[in-house]
Amino acid sequence: MRKPILEKRRALSENQKALSDKLICSKLEKLLLDEFKEKEHFLCYYPLKDEINLIPLYEKMLENGKKLYFPKTFGTDMEFYKVFSLEEFERGSFNVMEPVICDEERIFTGLEAVGIIPGAVFDTELNRIGYGKGYYDRYLGKKPQIVKIAACYKFQLVNKIEAKPWDVKMDFLVTD
């Protein structure tokens, strides 16, 4: 199920992608302002080329004083590190942009945060299929208090995914 949807995502024209990305960012920003205005900590991801470009939203969040954390992988584990600028990244594991400064003082150690979670396929029951390595399921499984928001293109949304017991459900899904 993952492969054909990711191929469709890669095949989006630049114009289609830009229009959808702008709409999704707008909807996501509205959700964050309406439901999570008082929240301070946000777990984010740096989008790959064919993922929704959330960078403009992250820039606004930083300007508004929100604390943003991005993941870095270590073997089969992942930690989130606070960034002060969207210039603080380098290419890391799986060709994903990761925070450059990863010292202990920047690790997200709290329990409560809003997470913006990537994925390949989602269903109407808020189940998620990631990219197959299980990093987010392992991390989020240890922190159930984190509010999980996924953003995806409409074609990434299917009726039903056969979720596994370890798959972590999303709390919200935003689409174009």
Side-chain angles (χ1 to χ4, degrees), residues 3 10 34 108 139:
K3 189 176 178 180
R10 277 189 289 276
D34 289 351
F108 175 74
Y139 185 87

Side-chain angles (χ1 to χ4, degrees), residues 7 27 29 61 64 90 110 115 124-125 135 139 145 151 163 165:
E7 286 174 4
K27 287 182 175 183
E29 181 178 11
M61 293 170 75
N64 289 320
E90 64 187 357
T124 55
E125 295 175 11
Y135 286 98
Y139 185 87
Q145 310 87 324

Side-chain angles (χ1 to χ4, degrees), residues 28-44 56-70 81-86 88 108 112-114 116:
L28 186 52
E29 181 178 11
K30 182 175 178 358
L31 174 66
L32 294 175
L33 287 173
D34 289 351
E35 300 289 329
F36 306 105
K37 187 176 187 172
E38 302 304 318
K39 293 289 185 185
E40 188 176 355
H41 302 279
F42 293 83
L43 306 183
C44 305
L57 175 62
Y58 296 155
E59 288 170 342
K60 284 183 184 178
M61 293 170 75
L62 283 170
E63 287 170 11
N64 289 320
K66 300 300 182 184
K67 293 181 173 94
L68 304 189
Y69 301 80
F70 287 80
Y81 293 86
K82 186 177 179 181
V83 301
F84 295 95
S85 160
L86 295 177
E88 297 180 23
F108 175 74
E112 291 190 23
V114 175
I116 301 171

